[in-house]
Amino acid sequence: MAGSQNKKQIIDTDIHERATYKDLLPYLDNPWKRYITDSDWVQEKHLPYPILGADGLDRADAKPPSGGPAGNSLSFMQEQLLDDIGHEAGILTGALDPSPSSMHGWYEMAVALATAYNDWQIENWLDKDERIYGSVHVAAQDPQAAVREIERVGPHPKMVQVLLPIDDRPWGDPYYHPIFEAAERHDLTIGMHHNEPPSYYGQFPRYFVEWHSVMPNTHMVQINSMVFNGVFEKYPNLKLVMIEAGFTYAPALMKKMDQQYKALRHEVPWVKRLPSRIIQEHVRFTTQPVDELSQKEFMQFIELMGSEDMVCFSTDYPHWDYDSPFQALPALGDDLERKIFRENARAAYPKLPQAAGMVNQ
Amino acid sequence: MAGSQNKKQIIDTDIHERATYKDLLPYLDNPWKRYITDSDWVQEKHLPYPILGADGLDRADAKPPSGGPAGNSLSFMQEQLLDDIGHEAGILTGALDPSPSSMHGWYEMAVALATAYNDWQIENWLDKDERIYGSVHVAAQDPQAAVREIERVGPHPKMVQVLLPIDDRPWGDPYYHPIFEAAERHDLTIGMHHNEPPSYYGQFPRYFVEWHSVMPNTHMVQINSMVFNGVFEKYPNLKLVMIEAGFTYAPALMKKMDQQYKALRHEVPWVKRLPSRIIQEHVRFTTQPVDELSQKEFMQFIELMGSEDMVCFSTDYPHWDYDSPFQALPALGDDLERKIFRENARAAYPKLPQAAGMVNQ
């Protein structure tokens, strides 16, 4: 993207910074440190796909000239993304490996990694560029440790969300409620990034394209679970941002949940309003990987959601399927573009600067 | 509905007739028969919900005066449904219990039950009312037995589809291909009725309303799996009807699959066309339980699907969430109503009468 003539003032809701294991060593105590230095421990892998050639999940041009994997260098991210596009702000969502947000099993190590990752993130990113905001990584395999970590780093002024790992228990489960309570208390939004959930009966489908095409299903299950288990009645200020599954699945989910609620609400008397109203108020969706939609189609999906306030732009930099803010969306008009590129994110993340001027893009 | 003044000539793509275990005894050999008569064997239950009061899953007024469960009496179904509405045709999809289509484990018993069920269905329903068409039940736990059963009863002129059980393997898997081959050879459509798949990691969510709201997810997985595994290239005349999950989830799925296919088709070189084109040609969706949609919203979903030929009306009689053809849909105009109420089903099921006059409803 170097050499773009125009700038676009955006709040980017999905940027993947990346630590190496070596980066995390200064933030780890023994024995965890020694598992890496002496035993070459690496996180278990989940995705069974031989994907996408030499650059794996990353854009071919995103590898920093100074070495290291894509997303590992602040200065290169500043040059290639933030300065080039004109970001007002960007929210870091971490990388797959090493990431406590996608780690199963061995929860003590996951807790240690989350702590180290958050400290590394604060010191090397949040405190180094005023545009960059962060996500609290937690090891939800130990929910009490997750709450402690939210208490520890959640008050940092640049931490805006808790990135909650996806596991085999849907998020409405009471198991997660202490985490929601702590997030709400610290004005932190709950973020769901797609991570690596299998799509069917705990299994991965045969092809990456197949898995990636039904990624929204896991998001649908979590929204559905949180709404019907009364999470948003219990934590009325909680916000939820669904990251990296687009937004086109929302209308069908909202219509179906409303219809079922009207017939079956005796089962869930703690749910006091139509699910679509709860979703409109509490849930936001990031665009990437955005479907190819005409202006008319885009507006039909927005109209069917019943609100222009629910979609937030994201690039997913530096991944292979990065969306450019100059190309990803059809022309939507100044009002809606302002909402999608900036204002909806501001409302979704209370700790982002709220008083930014309405600068023209 | 007794006393309806108007008639509506429809092809109803989801009617639940119901056998009791006693009904099936004349069609079972020993030892299977004795497991029922001497051991009071009943099919394992899957749904963990205490649902819906005294009438369970059925409409309170659908219990036949002559006794037996709802859906067990042809004469009462004729009176309450077919004569009252004005059905041109109706397709039977069976009931949950006893049904080989929702039975796990013990596949020899499932095979015996499928055979008995199909014989009972032919003798008591298909051969007794010219409006009634049937589904071949198969025990897909034994795919070779399923193929044999398709060979045995598939040629019956009133059998129009193979109702394939949902299990823990998505339907694009080569495991199912011999069944598709046999279905295509006999001009039988593959029908997916929602049955009882859990929604997440092989688990049921806490509430029926929660489970029922993400029912479309299982349908999305199967369509996605069949398309990317090349089933419709391999069996170019195969039709698939997705029963009892509505249709509003289709646009988002089609857009997402197209977008992913454009980026990743090197993984699936056997898929020769855009997924949305394959779905438009091969897949149909039944309306019930239809979301509450305004005329504008209904048309937006149809437009986003890119075709008026994909939605087929269904009542789901005699279940609790029955949709009346007089009330379920907004006004859609004569052309689209004719398609949804009759013509789309005719195209989805080659063995239905194809030459019916274009009678006004």
Side-chain angles (χ1 to χ4, degrees):
Chain A
M1 299 303 292
S4 295
Q5 303 255 327
N6 301 313
K7 301 291 180 188
K8 203 166 188 92
Q9 189 197 17
I10 67 173
I11 296 176
D12 184 347
T13 52
D14 187 19
I15 300 176
H16 293 282
E17 92 289 10
R18 186 182 189 107
T20 64
Y21 287 99
K22 191 170 160 228
D23 290 329
L24 298 186
L25 293 178
Y27 308 94
L28 282 169
D29 292 327
N30 283 328
W32 321 114
K33 190 175 185 174
R34 287 193 55 202
Y35 289 130
I36 294 173
T37 55
D38 297 8
S39 308
D40 289 329
W41 177 86
V42 292
Q43 193 172 326
E44 57 176 332
K45 298 285 184 187
H46 308 290
L47 278 184
Y49 311 109
I51 26 174
L52 300 175
D55 298 294
L57 281 166
D58 297 317
R59 252 170 63 172
D61 65 347
K63 208 179 283 280
S66 55
N72 189 239
S73 159
L74 171 62
S75 63
F76 192 60
M77 185 188 287
Q78 288 168 329
E79 176 190 330
Q80 189 172 47
L81 183 73
L82 306 177
D83 300 343
D84 190 59
I85 300 292
H87 280 57
E88 174 186 327
I91 299 171
L92 301 183
T93 50
L96 275 179
D97 178 16
S99 166
S101 297
S102 64
M103 184 171 163
H104 296 217
W106 202 12
Y107 64 83
E108 299 90 342
M109 183 71 175
V111 169
L113 269 182
T115 301
Y117 198 97
N118 291 331
D119 287 341
W120 170 84
Q121 185 191 177
I122 289 170
E123 193 170 321
N124 295 280
W125 299 83
L126 308 194
D127 290 349
K128 291 249 172 96
D129 188 312
E130 61 176 10
R131 295 166 293 187
I132 293 180
Y133 292 81
S135 299
V136 179
H137 291 258
V138 295
Q141 303 94 316
D142 180 346
Q144 291 164 302
V147 169
R148 285 196 303 273
E149 187 63 8
I150 293 169
E151 300 290 353
R152 189 180 76 86
V153 297
H156 189 285
K158 306 287 286 302
M159 282 293 191
V160 299
Q161 81 182 337
V162 175
L163 205 57
L164 198 56
I166 302 164
D167 213 323
D168 59 4
R169 191 190 299 256
W171 285 5
D173 198 288
Y175 177 94
Y176 289 107
H177 291 201
I179 296 174
F180 299 144
E181 192 276 329
E184 186 191 45
R185 188 152 31 82
H186 288 284
D187 291 326
L188 297 166
T189 297
I190 297 291
M192 167 168 166
H193 191 281
H194 71 48
N195 292 99
E196 305 186 10
S199 70
Y200 192 58
Y201 278 92
Q203 297 169 62
F204 283 97
R206 186 170 285 114
Y207 310 108
F208 183 82
V209 65
E210 196 184 338
W211 173 68
H212 222 224
S213 292
V214 289
M215 192 55 67
N217 286 22
T218 310
H219 294 243
M220 294 166 77
V221 166
Q222 309 292 18
I223 294 170
N224 185 55
S225 171
M226 288 176 75
V227 168
F228 283 128
N229 283 270
V231 168
F232 297 109
E233 272 81 5
K234 197 166 170 185
Y235 308 107
N237 295 314
L238 195 68
K239 302 277 186 196
L240 172 69
V241 175
M242 305 308 278
I243 304 167
E244 202 168 331
F247 64 92
T248 56
Y249 63 92
L253 178 66
M254 293 163 76
K255 296 291 183 196
K256 181 57 72 191
M257 289 175 70
D258 278 0
Q259 179 228 14
Q260 294 292 312
Y261 175 74
K262 286 180 184 179
L264 298 164
R265 64 185 166 214
H266 60 86
E267 266 198 308
V268 286
W270 44 85
V271 181
K272 301 296 188 191
R273 294 180 298 161
L274 277 178
S276 63
R277 297 266 179 270
I278 295 172
I279 294 169
Q280 284 167 349
E281 184 174 320
H282 291 274
V283 186
R284 299 294 177 263
F285 303 85
T286 71
T287 50
Q288 192 275 341
V290 75
D291 298 335
E292 288 187 20
L293 302 174
S294 68
Q295 190 266 352
K296 181 182 177 184
E297 290 171 332
F298 197 103
M299 291 310 303
Q300 285 177 323
F301 279 113
I302 295 285
E303 279 184 37
L304 286 165
M305 294 170 82
S307 166
E308 295 190 346
D309 302 335
M310 300 170 72
V311 175
C312 306
F313 189 78
S314 59
T315 62
D316 194 39
Y317 178 90
H319 286 168
W320 67 280
D321 50 352
Y322 166 87
D323 276 342
S324 160
F326 297 104
Q327 296 169 358
L329 309 186
L332 298 171
D334 287 348
D335 271 4
L336 184 54
E337 290 187 13
R338 182 174 48 80
K339 288 182 173 183
I340 291 176
F341 282 116
R342 291 187 304 277
E343 300 311 319
N344 291 348
R346 233 188 281 287
Y349 294 102
K351 289 179 69 180
L352 284 181
Q354 295 296 311
M358 299 296 177
V359 184
N360 288 330
Q361 326 179 32
Chain B
M1 300 302 292
S4 297
Q5 305 253 326
N6 301 314
K7 300 292 179 186
K8 201 164 189 95
Q9 189 196 18
I10 68 173
I11 295 177
D12 184 347
T13 52
D14 187 18
I15 300 176
H16 293 281
E17 92 289 9
R18 185 182 190 108
T20 63
Y21 287 99
K22 191 170 161 229
D23 290 331
L24 299 185
L25 293 178
Y27 307 94
L28 283 168
D29 291 328
N30 283 327
W32 321 114
K33 189 176 184 173
R34 286 193 56 202
Y35 289 129
I36 294 173
T37 55
D38 297 7
S39 307
D40 288 330
W41 177 86
V42 291
Q43 192 173 325
E44 58 176 329
K45 298 287 185 187
H46 307 290
L47 279 184
Y49 310 107
I51 27 176
L52 301 174
D55 298 295
L57 281 167
D58 297 316
R59 252 171 64 172
D61 65 346
K63 209 179 280 282
S66 55
N72 189 239
S73 159
L74 171 61
S75 63
F76 192 59
M77 185 189 286
Q78 289 168 328
E79 176 190 330
Q80 189 172 47
L81 183 73
L82 306 177
D83 299 343
D84 189 61
I85 301 292
H87 280 57
E88 174 186 326
I91 298 171
L92 301 183
T93 51
L96 276 179
D97 178 18
S99 165
S101 296
S102 64
M103 185 170 161
H104 296 217
W106 202 13
Y107 66 82
E108 299 89 343
M109 183 72 176
V111 170
L113 269 182
T115 301
Y117 198 97
N118 292 330
D119 287 341
W120 170 83
Q121 184 191 179
I122 290 170
E123 193 170 321
N124 295 279
W125 299 83
L126 308 193
D127 290 350
K128 291 247 172 98
D129 187 313
E130 62 177 8
R131 294 166 294 188
I132 293 180
Y133 292 80
S135 299
V136 179
H137 291 258
V138 296
Q141 302 95 316
D142 181 346
Q144 291 164 302
V147 168
R148 285 197 301 274
E149 186 64 6
I150 294 169
E151 300 291 352
R152 190 180 75 88
V153 296
H156 188 285
K158 305 288 285 304
M159 282 293 191
V160 299
Q161 80 182 338
V162 175
L163 206 57
L164 199 56
I166 303 164
D167 213 323
D168 58 3
R169 191 190 301 256
W171 284 7
D173 198 288
Y175 177 95
Y176 289 107
H177 291 200
I179 295 175
F180 300 143
E181 192 275 330
E184 186 191 45
R185 188 154 29 83
H186 288 284
D187 292 327
L188 297 166
T189 297
I190 297 291
M192 167 167 165
H193 190 281
H194 71 47
N195 292 99
E196 304 185 13
S199 69
Y200 192 60
Y201 278 91
Q203 298 169 62
F204 284 97
R206 187 170 285 115
Y207 310 109
F208 183 82
V209 64
E210 196 184 337
W211 172 69
H212 222 225
S213 292
V214 289
M215 192 56 67
N217 286 21
T218 310
H219 295 243
M220 294 166 77
V221 166
Q222 308 292 19
I223 294 170
N224 185 55
S225 171
M226 290 175 75
V227 168
F228 284 127
N229 282 271
V231 168
F232 298 109
E233 271 82 4
K234 197 167 172 186
Y235 307 108
N237 295 313
L238 195 68
K239 303 279 187 194
L240 172 69
V241 176
M242 306 308 278
I243 304 167
E244 202 168 331
F247 63 93
T248 56
Y249 63 92
L253 177 67
M254 294 163 76
K255 296 291 182 196
K256 180 59 71 192
M257 289 175 70
D258 277 1
Q259 179 228 15
Q260 293 293 311
Y261 175 75
K262 286 180 184 178
L264 297 164
R265 63 186 167 214
H266 59 86
E267 267 198 308
V268 286
W270 41 86
V271 181
K272 302 296 187 190
R273 295 180 297 161
L274 277 178
S276 63
R277 296 267 179 269
I278 296 172
I279 293 169
Q280 283 167 349
E281 184 175 320
H282 291 275
V283 186
R284 299 295 177 261
F285 302 85
T286 71
T287 50
Q288 192 278 341
V290 74
D291 298 336
E292 288 186 21
L293 302 174
S294 68
Q295 190 266 353
K296 181 182 179 186
E297 290 171 333
F298 197 103
M299 290 311 301
Q300 285 178 323
F301 280 112
I302 295 286
E303 280 184 38
L304 286 165
M305 294 169 83
S307 166
E308 295 190 345
D309 301 335
M310 301 170 72
V311 175
C312 306
F313 189 78
S314 59
T315 62
D316 194 40
Y317 178 89
H319 287 168
W320 67 280
D321 50 353
Y322 167 87
D323 277 343
S324 161
F326 297 104
Q327 296 168 358
L329 308 187
L332 298 171
D334 287 349
D335 271 5
L336 184 53
E337 289 187 12
R338 182 174 48 79
K339 288 182 172 183
I340 291 177
F341 282 116
R342 292 188 302 279
E343 300 312 318
N344 291 348
R346 235 188 280 288
Y349 293 103
K351 290 178 68 180
L352 283 181
Q354 295 296 311
M358 298 297 177
V359 184
N360 288 329
Q361 328 182 32

